[in-house]
Amino acid sequence: MNVEEVERVRALLKELNEETLIARLDAFLRFNEGLETKKGEDYIRLSILSFLEGLLMSLKIKYPENRKIKELYEEIRAKRAELDELLRKPKMQNIQ
């Protein structure tokens, strides 16, 4: 599955010389390969965006002054929240 934000985060990790996190990102992506047909493409995209959001949150703590991290975090957080809302099941309304 191609999620454009993955490459942007990977480039940022390379810039920060965070090779261990690149390896973890690649392992997570391999783990999710092929699951689109079982779980659905949007569900896997949500999973990947959630992982990226967590990764960037950790980087924000490690590099508190890095503006690129903050901007990318906010962008991915917003996309993840939007997709999460889209995938939520509507609540049943009480019938009166």
Side-chain angles (χ1 to χ4, degrees), residues 1-8 10 29 32-34 36 41-42 44-46 48-49 52:
M1 163 171 267
N2 186 17
V3 178
E4 83 174 58
E5 292 81 8
V6 169
E7 292 309 315
R8 293 175 57 205
R10 182 178 279 121
L29 294 173
N32 283 285
E33 273 181 15
E36 302 92 16
E41 190 172 310
D42 286 336
I44 299 304
R45 185 177 310 280
L46 177 62
I48 292 170
L49 288 174
L52 295 176

Side-chain angles (χ1 to χ4, degrees), residues 39-70:
K39 298 275 188 174
E41 190 172 310
D42 286 336
Y43 180 81
I44 299 304
R45 185 177 310 280
L46 177 62
S47 175
I48 292 170
L49 288 174
S50 297
F51 183 83
L52 295 176
E53 182 180 357
L55 194 74
L56 289 166
M57 185 181 301
S58 297
L59 289 173
K60 275 179 43 176
I61 294 167
K62 188 172 181 179
Y63 304 98
E65 300 302 318
N66 190 310
R67 186 178 170 112
K68 286 182 184 179
I69 294 170
K70 290 177 184 177

Side-chain angles (χ1 to χ4, degrees), residues 10 21-33 51:
R10 182 178 279 121
L21 292 178
I22 293 171
R24 284 195 169 64
L25 174 60
D26 291 340
F28 182 80
L29 294 173
R30 279 192 304 276
F31 178 74
N32 283 285
E33 273 181 15
F51 183 83

